[in-house]
Amino acid sequence: MNKLLLGRYVPGDSWVHHLDPRTKLLASFYYIGIIFLANNWQTYLLMFIVTLFIIYLSKINISFFLRGVRPLIWLILFTVTLQILFSRGGTVYFHWGWFWLTEYGLINGAYIFMRFVLIIFMSTLLTLTTQPLSLADAVESLLKPLKLLHFPVVELALVLQIALRFVPTLMDQTTKIMNAQRARGVDFGTGNIFQQMKAVVPLLIPLFVSSFTTAEDLATAMESRGYQGGDNRTKFRVLKYHNSDIIAGVFMVALTVALVLLKN
Amino acid sequence: MDITFDHVDFTYQAGTPFAGDGIKDVSVTIHDGSYTAIIGHTGSGKSTLLQHLNALLKPTAGSVTIGDFTITKETSNKNLKPLRQKVGMVFQFAENQLFEQTVARDIAFGPKNFGVSDADAQDLAKRMVKLVGLPEDVLDKSPFDLSGGQMRRVAIAGVLAMQPEVLVLDEPTAGLDPAGRHEMMAMFERLHREQGLTIVLVTHQMDDVADYADHVLVMEQGHLIKTGSPREIFADPAWLQEKQLGLPTTTQMAQDLVNKGFSFNPMPLTEQELADQLVPQLGGASHE
C-alpha cells in the first residue's frame, strides 16, 4: 500500500512547483486534450520533447515518472496488443484467423503506447508538484461559476479537502488494524476467495467504526471553532496568478499551434 | 523463549524514493521471563522494534531469533502463525481492533484463529474478561456499547486469550485514567510473576519503568543506545535529560533533595526505597 505513487506530493522549489495550482490543473487537462491532436511521428516527438522539458523544469528525478508508469504497464500492453492484433491496413506481415499483424496496426500500437506514457507522465507531474490541499483549492476556485446554478461548490470543496487530508490518516489506521489482526492470527490474502473475503471483515468493521468516530469528533471540533457553513468565509490560502502562469498559458497555446501545423 | 536481535536493520519502503528510517544495527537479547521496558523519544523506533518481535515486520538486514524461529529478510509470510500465537501484541489504542458482535466472540476470535475449539474459546473468554477486571455480563454486549476504558480491557483480554508466552505492550495505558492505569499495570505484573510471562513494554511513563521493569532498552533515532537495569539507566539524570527522557517521580524528588544537601546511595526508584533512605537522614537531623 505504501508503494502507491499516485497522488504523492514531492516537496520542491522549482518553477513548476511555484505555478498557481489552477494553472497546473487546467494545463494538465488541456495537455491531455491536445495529445489527441498528435497523429504522426513529428507531433509525438514534439510532445515528448515538451514533456521532458517540463519534467526537467520541475527538478524531479525522471525515475519517479517511470515508477508511475509501472503499475499501469499491463493495462497499457494489453491495449497496445489488442490494437496491433486487430487493426488492418497497409502491408500485411502475418495473418492467422482473426489476428492480423500489419503496418498500420504496429504504428497505431506505438502511438497508443506513447499516448499512455505522455498522459501518465503529465498527471504524475501534476500530483508530484502540487499539494493535495492546493489542488482542492484550485477545484473550488475553478468550479465557482457553477454557484450560479446553485451547485454547492463550497461544500464540495470542503468535503474534498477533508477527504484528501484524511487519506494518509486512514491508510495509517488501516495498516495498524491489519497488523493488530494479523497478530491475532488473521491471514490476509491467503486461501480461497471466500476465506479472503472473510478475513477482510475484521479490518473493515473497525475502519468504518473509527471513521464514524473521527467524523463525529471532527464535526464537534469544527462547530466549537465557529464553523457555521461555507458562506461568507474568508480564505487563508488565497490563490493568485503570476507572470509565470501567463507564460505557461502562452506556452500551451504555442504548443497547440505547433501541433496543428505539424499534424497530418 | 528468548528473543535475540542480531544486527537488525529495518528501512521503511526500502528501495523507493520515500525510504524512511526504522531501526539501525540493533543487537539485543530479551530473555525468557524478563520484564523489559523500551523507552525513547517519540519516533525513535520503539514501535518498529516491537513489530519485529512477532514478524509483522521483517528485518531488511540481520536476523531476529524468536524461540525456534529465525526471521530474516527472506522469511516467507507462511507458517508464521505458531509464532504469532506465542507472542501476543497489544497495540497502541488497542480498542480500535474490536469488530465482533459481542465481547465474548471478539475475545474468542484470537484463540479460534489458532485452532482452539469454539467451546474452549468461549470458556477462555469468560476467564479473560474476569482477569482484566470486567463484570461477566459484558460478554453478551456489543463491544461498541462499552466505554473507551472497557473497550481497551476487552482488546487486551482478546490478546491474553491466545495464551501467549511473550506479551508485547505498546503504551497499553495511554489515555486511561489513573485508577485504570494502575489496575492494568498491576494485572500485567501479576501475570509476569504468577505465570512467568515475558513482558516487553513500550512506555513514556518512567514511573512504570521504575516500578515494574527489570531490564531497560533506550532507543534514539533508530539506534539502541543503552541497555541495563532501571537503576543503571536512571543513575545518570544529566544523560537522560540530554536524550530528552525524564526520571521517575521518586528519583526526580530524590535528585531535588540531593541538591538541597541530602545524599542517597543508590538513587531510589520507588517510593518505598526513597522513604527507607530518607527516614534515617531526617531522624539524624532532628537529634541535633
Side-chain angles (χ1 to χ4, degrees):
Chain A
M1 199 167 306
N2 285 327
K3 300 219 168 86
L4 202 73
L5 188 72
L6 205 76
R8 284 289 192 99
Y9 168 71
V10 176
D13 182 34
S14 73
W15 192 80
V16 182
H17 278 89
H18 288 295
L19 280 176
D20 189 284
R22 288 171 295 187
T23 313
K24 281 190 267 189
L25 192 63
L26 284 180
S28 304
F29 277 112
Y30 186 74
Y31 184 91
I32 289 168
I34 59 175
I35 282 175
F36 293 95
L37 283 177
N39 61 359
N40 57 22
W41 294 108
Q42 296 94 305
T43 42
Y44 274 109
L45 186 67
L46 175 70
M47 288 307 260
F48 259 100
I49 292 171
V50 167
T51 310
L52 290 177
F53 176 66
I54 302 176
I55 288 175
Y56 166 75
L57 279 183
S58 76
K59 294 185 189 162
I60 292 177
N61 197 324
I62 185 91
S63 67
F64 277 76
F65 296 88
L66 297 177
R67 226 178 266 275
V69 175
R70 205 188 284 165
L72 293 173
I73 194 73
W74 293 113
L75 180 71
I76 298 175
L77 288 182
F78 178 69
T79 319
V80 169
T81 315
L82 283 189
Q83 186 73 26
I84 291 175
L85 290 181
F86 291 100
S87 313
R88 294 177 204 185
T91 324
V92 176
Y93 300 118
F94 175 77
H95 174 206
W96 183 77
W98 287 81
F99 303 112
W100 294 69
L101 191 65
T102 64
E103 188 187 350
Y104 282 16
L106 281 178
I107 292 173
N108 269 333
Y111 285 173
I112 284 179
F113 183 80
M114 289 192 284
R115 214 175 266 175
F116 265 116
V117 170
L118 285 171
I119 291 175
I120 293 168
F121 273 17
M122 215 44 179
S123 39
T124 312
L125 184 75
L126 175 72
T127 55
L128 283 181
T129 60
T130 320
Q131 275 179 316
L133 277 185
S134 13
L135 265 186
D137 280 341
V139 170
E140 180 181 8
S141 172
L142 291 171
L143 288 182
K144 228 165 227 169
L146 285 181
K147 253 189 185 167
L148 293 174
L149 302 171
H150 299 289
F151 184 80
V153 176
V154 187
E155 282 75 12
L156 181 79
L158 181 76
V159 170
L160 193 62
Q161 279 175 348
I162 293 178
L164 287 172
R165 157 67 187 77
F166 278 96
V167 168
T169 314
L170 265 179
M171 297 262 262
D172 278 357
Q173 186 79 2
T174 311
T175 320
K176 273 184 196 153
I177 297 174
M178 248 175 126
N179 277 341
Q181 306 297 23
R182 278 162 73 196
R184 290 213 282 168
V186 180
D187 278 328
F188 289 105
T190 55
N192 63 38
I193 182 123
F194 291 106
Q195 285 167 328
Q196 291 202 30
M197 270 160 51
K198 236 181 124 189
V200 176
V201 175
L203 176 64
L204 278 188
I205 293 178
L207 259 187
F208 274 114
V209 171
S210 84
S211 303
F212 287 140
T213 328
T214 314
E216 218 174 300
D217 290 349
L218 184 68
T220 315
M222 281 171 71
E223 274 186 352
S224 64
R225 296 177 74 183
Y227 181 84
Q228 301 214 312
D231 297 320
N232 303 323
R233 292 180 70 214
T234 53
K235 288 187 80 71
F236 175 65
R237 293 185 302 269
V238 182
L239 297 178
K240 235 180 176 174
Y241 289 118
H242 296 281
N243 285 340
S244 51
D245 295 297
I246 299 171
I247 296 173
V250 172
F251 186 77
M252 279 294 156
V253 174
L255 180 64
T256 319
V257 173
L259 276 178
V260 170
L261 290 179
L262 280 173
K263 82 187 198 111
N264 288 351
Chain B
M1 191 169 68
D2 286 359
I3 300 178
T4 305
F5 283 69
D6 183 21
H7 299 284
V8 173
D9 280 358
F10 182 79
T11 315
Y12 280 100
Q13 300 186 54
T16 76
F18 303 98
D21 290 340
I23 53 177
K24 275 172 258 158
D25 196 28
V26 171
S27 295
V28 69
T29 300
I30 294 167
H31 290 287
D32 189 32
S34 70
Y35 197 130
T36 305
I38 305 179
I39 58 174
H41 201 235
T42 310
S44 57
K46 305 183 297 281
S47 298
T48 311
L49 186 71
L50 280 195
Q51 290 177 51
H52 281 84
L53 294 176
N54 73 348
L56 284 176
L57 295 178
K58 279 173 277 179
T60 38
S63 67
V64 184
T65 312
I66 311 163
D68 304 332
F69 290 85
T70 301
I71 312 289
T72 60
K73 197 176 175 178
E74 282 86 25
T75 307
S76 99
N77 270 328
K78 282 175 188 151
N79 312 322
L80 288 178
K81 251 188 170 178
L83 173 64
R84 302 252 159 86
Q85 183 181 16
K86 282 183 185 159
V87 184
M89 287 237 173
V90 177
F91 283 83
Q92 249 172 64
F93 302 105
E95 57 272 28
N96 287 337
Q97 73 186 33
L98 302 178
F99 73 100
E100 275 284 10
Q101 291 152 27
T102 65
V103 169
R105 287 176 61 162
D106 204 287
I107 297 176
F109 177 71
K112 273 161 75 180
N113 279 330
F114 294 114
V116 175
S117 75
D118 199 35
D120 289 348
Q122 293 297 335
D123 199 45
L124 270 170
K126 255 181 222 158
R127 272 167 43 208
M128 292 306 150
V129 94
K130 257 182 257 160
L131 189 67
V132 296
L134 289 173
E136 208 170 304
D137 63 358
V138 298
L139 279 170
D140 296 323
K141 285 189 186 161
S142 159
F144 301 109
D145 289 339
L146 304 178
S147 74
Q150 288 174 321
M151 280 167 80
R152 178 82 56 89
R153 282 161 199 259
V154 172
I156 291 173
V159 175
L160 290 176
M162 289 157 34
Q163 301 186 298
E165 292 172 29
V166 179
L167 185 62
V168 180
L169 307 159
D170 192 355
E171 296 188 47
T173 58
L176 288 187
D177 58 65
R181 247 189 61 200
H182 194 78
E183 258 176 61
M184 279 283 134
M185 292 312 297
M187 179 193 76
F188 294 134
E189 165 71 8
R190 212 168 56 236
L191 289 171
H192 170 64
R193 214 161 2 97
E194 290 170 6
Q195 302 182 14
L197 204 63
T198 310
I199 292 190
V200 181
L201 168 77
V202 162
T203 185
H204 290 289
Q205 305 286 339
M206 296 304 158
D207 288 355
D208 290 344
V209 178
D211 288 346
Y212 301 114
D214 51 36
H215 199 66
V216 184
L217 316 181
V218 188
M219 302 278 301
E220 191 191 35
Q221 294 185 349
H223 292 281
L224 186 64
I225 52 170
K226 203 168 186 174
T227 62
S229 69
R231 205 172 293 288
E232 286 160 5
I233 300 290
F234 292 127
D236 189 356
W239 183 84
L240 283 166
Q241 207 111 65
E242 186 194 314
K243 302 296 173 203
Q244 303 193 27
L245 297 166
L247 285 172
T249 329
T250 321
T251 316
Q252 185 63 53
M253 184 175 171
Q255 184 64 29
D256 293 345
L257 287 171
V258 166
N259 296 340
K260 297 230 184 291
F262 289 83
S263 68
F264 297 97
N265 184 34
M267 283 298 268
L269 291 178
T270 59
E271 286 161 33
Q272 193 57 50
E273 285 176 31
L274 176 70
D276 287 348
Q277 292 197 46
L278 207 51
V279 167
Q281 292 190 51
L282 287 174
S286 67
H287 280 292
E288 287 177 3

